[in-house]
Amino acid sequence: MQDISASSSPPEWFTRALASRAELSVTSVDGLRISHRSWGPVGTPGALLVHGGLAHARWWDHIAPLLTRAGRRRIVALDLSGHGDSGRRDRYSVGTWAREVAGVAAAGGFAGPPVVVGHSMGGIVALRVAVDHAEAIAGTVTVDSRTIEHTDAELAAHDRRSALPARIYPSQEAAIARFRPVPGQPSLPYVRKYIARASVRQYGGGWTWKSDPRVFGGQEFDHGDLSRLSGRVMMLRAEHGLAAVGVDDPLQTAGIPSVEIPAAGHHVMLDQPLALVSALRTLLATWQP
């Protein structure tokens, strides 16, 4: 993988993207507040972006403005429950998150159903939407996603982790310094620093992560449901990611078209953001001319 650790100064495209002010909204789904961010005018076609596990909508802040097609496409990124600025539930599941995506798709101001783009766990949620709420979307794109069937031991480990108290840091900067993508990979420093700063909140006299650790228990997807997928589906794979060629996963044998993003780690928006933008622009232009 290419060493990008020396790329510390934000380039013009990045600062220009962040200067595009997001419209902040809240939609209630199953009685819970679901926060989302939007770019581009209401009443235009577009895409709904779904983050990965323990991440949040602002992982897309430097990506979404570059997908608006100069104001002719609407892009919305949501915080799934238990993440970012959305509310927390007693229990989480892919099915519940899929209902949240469908709810935001309906309330997001799109002209017609949006394309749903999901990274990592968000891709599994997007597939669930394609199975359970196919009429609500115009297509599904997974970004380095793998379907997961946890063992009983793994589920028990998730329950133990969920029971641990939140880790509190003495300052915002101390928390930011501990930010690490999981799995670890090289990242553009200016992207990593921006996302890290957006990932923490004040809590208990200090600072902690915005995500609820209990979300680990809700990420399963029934492989049998792959046969029920409908509509257009595309996989974007990171060359050095979790869904790389040769990885044993039913998604790769389900006949779903796929495209590889060269030199990318699992968190493509951290190390190859412009390659991700280019791939998504191409797909959106093809599916929503």
Side-chain angles (χ1 to χ4, degrees):
M1 192 184 307
Q2 181 183 6
D3 181 8
I4 58 175
S5 59
S7 305
S8 57
S9 299
E12 182 183 359
W13 72 264
F14 182 78
T15 55
R16 189 170 62 248
L18 296 187
S20 299
R21 188 178 298 275
E23 168 193 335
L24 306 182
S25 305
V26 173
T27 296
S28 178
V29 179
D30 292 349
L32 195 74
R33 181 187 76 255
I34 303 300
S35 175
H36 45 101
R37 306 164 63 78
S38 307
W39 297 259
V42 172
T44 53
L48 178 53
L49 310 179
V50 188
H51 59 78
L54 300 181
H56 48 81
R58 298 190 69 178
W59 280 61
W60 298 102
D61 276 3
H62 60 303
I63 303 293
L66 304 183
L67 301 177
T68 60
R69 199 174 62 156
R72 289 175 288 169
R73 182 179 289 126
R74 185 161 176 83
I75 305 296
V76 177
L78 84 161
D79 288 321
L80 298 171
S81 58
H83 299 79
D85 297 323
S86 287
R88 296 188 174 192
R89 301 189 187 275
D90 293 333
R91 295 192 65 84
Y92 302 97
S93 70
V94 169
T96 299
W97 286 325
R99 288 195 298 275
E100 295 169 5
V101 172
V104 173
F110 299 104
V115 172
V116 175
V117 179
H119 171 244
S120 191
M121 184 198 81
I124 305 306
V125 174
L127 292 173
R128 184 82 258 162
V129 178
V131 172
D132 293 348
H133 311 279
E135 74 289 344
I137 63 174
T140 307
V141 183
T142 67
V143 182
D144 210 59
S145 300
R146 286 183 62 190
T147 56
I148 299 172
E149 289 186 337
H150 293 299
T151 65
D152 290 342
E154 288 172 330
L155 291 174
H158 291 159
D159 289 341
R160 290 193 297 271
R161 180 171 183 174
S162 299
L164 294 174
R167 187 164 189 175
I168 310 298
Y169 299 90
S171 67
Q172 183 182 29
E173 292 306 320
I176 291 171
R178 294 297 300 168
F179 177 81
R180 301 287 189 278
V182 179
Q185 66 171 72
S187 306
L188 293 165
Y190 51 88
V191 178
R192 184 179 65 245
K193 183 176 181 180
Y194 175 82
I195 291 176
R197 187 169 296 277
S199 300
V200 298
R201 62 185 177 93
Q202 288 185 297
Y203 178 79
W207 292 79
T208 191
W209 310 112
K210 287 185 175 181
S211 56
D212 184 348
R214 294 177 300 165
V215 302
F216 275 108
Q219 300 184 25
E220 288 196 311
F221 183 87
D222 187 343
H223 292 161
D225 284 339
L226 291 175
S227 63
R228 297 173 54 206
L229 286 174
S230 61
R232 293 173 292 195
V233 183
M234 172 67 75
M235 295 170 52
L236 297 182
R237 295 179 289 96
E239 182 179 3
H240 304 288
L242 299 182
V245 172
V247 170
D248 183 17
D249 180 60
L251 277 180
Q252 295 204 25
T253 58
I256 300 172
S258 66
V259 173
E260 182 177 270
I261 299 180
H266 174 62
H267 303 285
V268 186
M269 61 282 291
L270 295 186
D271 65 352
Q272 298 294 338
L274 291 183
L276 176 59
V277 167
S278 180
L280 292 176
R281 279 179 173 177
T282 301
L283 275 171
L284 292 175
T286 302
W287 290 359
Q288 294 180 329

